[in-house]
Amino acid sequence: MPPPADILKVAIEWPGAFPKLMEIDQVSLPNHETYALQNADSTNFYITEKNRNNIKNGSILRLTTSPAQMAMQLYERVQSTSLDMKLDALKELANSSRDITFAQEFINLDGITLLVQMVESGTERYQKLQKMMKPCFGEMLSFTLTAFVELMDHGIISWDTFSVAFIKKIASFVCKSSMDSAVLQRSLAILESMVLNSQDLYQKVAQEITIGQLLPHLQGTDQDIQTYTIAVINALFLKAPEEKRQFDESNVNILDCPLTVSASDLNVIRSTKPINDEMAHQLYMLQVLTFNLLEDRMMTKMDPQDQAQRDIIFELRRIAFDVECESNNSGSIEKRKSMYTRDYKKLGFINHVNPAVDFTQIPPGMLALDNMLYFARHHQDSYIRIVLENSSREDKHECPFGRSSIELTKMLCEILKVGELPSENCHDFHPMFFTHDRSFGEFFCICIQLLNKTWKEMRATSEDFNKVMQVVREQITRALTVKPNSLDQFKSRLQNLSYTEILKIRQSERMNQEDFQSRPILELREKIQPEIMELIKQQRLNRLCEGTCFRKISSRRRQDKFWYCRLSPNHKVLHYGDLEESPQGEVPHDSLQDKLPVADIKAVVTGKDCPHMKEKGALKQNKEVLELAFSILYESDEYLNFIAPDKHEYCMWTDGLNALLGKEMTSEFTRSDLDTLLNMEMKLRLLDLENIQIPEAPPPIPKEPSNYDFVYDCN
């Protein structure tokens, strides 16, 4: 007779003894006020009412003090007068605080307040001993801050409860030139959480620390410190009120905003060390937030009556034609108007009489004028050459500088997605934008010269303007895909993408498409398409069997927990469970505690229809996260929520789940894979017909012969 389902055989260990195989009742764990069981692994998490059903036969557990008793003991020990005992207690507290059961008990004892008091006042007492016991002091403070961070990450109490004195103390650790790296990391993490979780705390933190005080930490070689520092800068960016994101309109360089980071400050870009995923994400965030400073100018119309703005256009005219603004008494008004109209036409404006009207279109608004002036001032020779070269042509092949600059600025803003919210899961940053303090201005200068060069190569006229812009967009996007490390590399890449090269690329792509448009070929494609779709379906299911590590999004991204989900080999059960860190390779089914039978799945929903997207107001506004979210609905009101690490994994999982449910796979990756595999299969099948013209219609069937005398009877 098999044992009851609630009785499990597990190994239980306790101090001073070898693990012993015992039977336990999963329904009832006695003496929970005094003792408790822990997972005997790296997590040391307590077994509770919520997770006891996850215990498996053969698990190794540890008999230990109950969370309440442990919290009380550590609460008393961290107040010990013995430094050694205090240090051991803080070290144990930092480790135990990762468990939410223990954290709840310690917080109930007002443990957070105790740690805050130790940071606010206790550090002065230990600083007197710093000369004798500097390592001990650094460790003690590090463990105190680590325990504080772990406890706060559970979201049990609000960040709004902390005093200015505590904020000042944490900020002082960040501002010190020589501070223990662990203390510095924890302090930066605390500041980031304060800023992200409370607008009131943002105000207080912003009063205590500036971007300038954070920049020295970017000059070092510790990539973890650099990551935490950029995360704090990004948090200050996100929470800063609009007035702090403004800039002096008299200065053409929008990136001189006091919130921005100079290229010389980002030592990580110049380092030969590989950039980890978290640093890549923070650099992407910084890139997006920095370029979003352009949005205000991009959406600002020019006021044709504003003399200061009109003076910028006069400055463009003066630099191009080396003329001084004539006094009001020099010549007649009509003569001066005629002169201005002639020059504005040479500058390539659409409205020759009042070019200010050209900048009333948003986007790009005043940003286009800023770029033109930056080009004229910082690349004066190139600016003058382009304007004069085109203004002296009489063959209708002149490239209008003004109109081109306005449309190019709009295009660059679209390519860089200026004004869009950053994604929680993206690592797609461009190193070249961190190598120059005025990267967008330089980016424009390179691209406007490319546009002029492409215009000449195409021998374009004004009627070809949109065609030229399409080619230029293709040149820029293709050059950006290789992620050049500097603006010079970007420029070199563009040199290899001339109009002739773009034509070759287009011709090659077009030929691959045209080869498969005849009717016999289309009929063959339809015949083999089901076979290819079945192949794609099997690949998707195999990918689900391998499994994927998903991230649990929280307010502090680096402290996020991971969980893993994979499909069983027989395609009948989804196994999933929490992980302490991102795995290296596949996670075995046995280590995933939870199961979901495929037969219980009712539906798969995506985007804003997902329950976790409706719950999280901050994520609901983020288009990128919405595009990566999906949920499995099962039973009545139960659901399993996912946020895919990237678009590829999102398509793999939604396709695989739809295939399991017998529904159509509709993702863009399925369409792409289908097209690729069909083309490959068609080329293989038609390999013997190379250079043979395939007729549009089948050949006619010949008439029957008048006799069959030519038939030879073998018998």
Side-chain angles (χ1 to χ4, degrees), residues 564-578:
Y564 200 89
C565 187
R566 63 181 300 183
L567 181 66
S568 62
N570 62 5
H571 300 170
K572 292 185 177 181
V573 179
L574 283 174
H575 298 264
Y576 62 96
D578 293 339

Side-chain angles (χ1 to χ4, degrees), residues 45 76 98 106 110 122 200 210-211 220 237 293 308 318 382 395 400 409 477 528 549 626 656 679 697:
F45 287 168
E76 294 171 354
R98 294 180 300 162
F106 191 78
D110 210 12
D200 183 51
T210 64
I211 299 292
F237 256 117
L293 293 174
R318 184 194 66 78
S382 298
D395 54 2
T409 300
T477 52
I528 64 176
C549 178
L626 276 174
N679 288 341

Side-chain angles (χ1 to χ4, degrees), residues 160-361:
D160 288 308
T161 58
F162 300 109
S163 65
V164 174
F166 180 67
I167 297 172
K168 285 179 179 287
K169 182 61 65 176
I170 298 297
S172 70
F173 298 150
V174 173
C175 295
K176 284 182 181 177
S177 56
S178 57
M179 176 54 69
D180 180 83
S181 61
V183 173
L184 181 57
Q185 278 190 28
R186 303 301 181 271
S187 300
L188 288 166
I190 291 170
L191 289 179
E192 181 197 4
S193 292
M194 285 180 171
V195 172
L196 290 176
N197 287 284
S198 169
Q199 188 64 34
D200 183 51
L201 282 183
Y202 160 75
Q203 302 287 349
K204 295 175 181 177
V205 171
Q207 291 174 2
E208 299 300 326
I209 197 164
T210 64
I211 299 292
Q213 291 170 314
L214 293 170
L215 294 182
H217 300 310
L218 297 177
Q219 299 289 345
T221 57
D222 189 328
Q223 193 169 128
D224 288 333
I225 295 293
Q226 292 172 329
T227 302
Y228 278 86
T229 302
I230 296 177
V232 175
I233 293 173
N234 288 338
L236 291 171
F237 256 117
L238 283 168
K239 290 293 183 176
E242 285 299 321
E243 59 270 16
K244 284 203 173 184
R245 301 186 191 186
Q246 301 304 316
F247 55 93
D248 182 1
E249 291 188 9
S250 64
N251 190 340
V252 68
N253 181 26
I254 187 170
L255 299 184
D256 280 340
C257 171
L259 282 175
T260 56
V261 179
S262 168
S264 60
D265 296 319
L266 288 170
N267 192 39
V268 65
I269 296 295
R270 300 186 296 275
S271 173
T272 56
K273 294 181 181 179
I275 294 176
N276 60 44
D277 286 346
E278 184 56 37
M279 172 59 86
H281 173 75
Q282 294 299 339
L283 288 171
Y284 155 78
M285 289 280 290
L286 183 60
Q287 172 185 293
V288 172
L289 293 171
T290 303
F291 282 138
N292 279 357
L293 293 174
L294 302 165
E295 185 181 12
D296 182 67
R297 293 294 274 177
M298 182 181 76
M299 301 306 293
T300 300
K301 293 183 179 181
M302 184 173 183
D303 182 2
Q305 307 304 319
D306 188 321
Q307 188 58 43
Q309 295 178 357
R310 291 170 63 87
D311 286 343
I312 300 177
I313 299 177
F314 293 151
E315 177 74 358
L316 291 174
R317 174 178 175 266
R318 184 194 66 78
I319 296 173
F321 304 115
D322 194 23
V323 296
E324 297 297 332
C325 293
E326 296 84 355
S327 64
N328 291 334
N329 297 326
S330 60
S332 66
I333 295 177
E334 291 299 324
K335 182 179 179 181
R336 280 190 285 114
K337 281 186 177 180
S338 175
M339 190 185 309
Y340 286 155
T341 299
R342 181 198 64 202
D343 290 346
Y344 291 149
K345 183 177 180 180
K346 291 181 179 180
L347 281 169
F349 290 113
I350 298 175
N351 192 315
H352 306 152
V353 178
N354 185 7
V357 176
D358 289 11
F359 299 98
T360 57
Q361 172 194 351

Side-chain angles (χ1 to χ4, degrees), residues 506-522:
R506 286 181 173 181
Q507 181 68 17
S508 175
E509 293 174 350
R510 191 182 305 115
M511 286 178 64
N512 288 335
Q513 292 176 357
E514 289 176 352
D515 287 345
F516 301 105
Q517 298 305 311
S518 62
R519 194 176 70 171
I521 300 299
L522 292 176

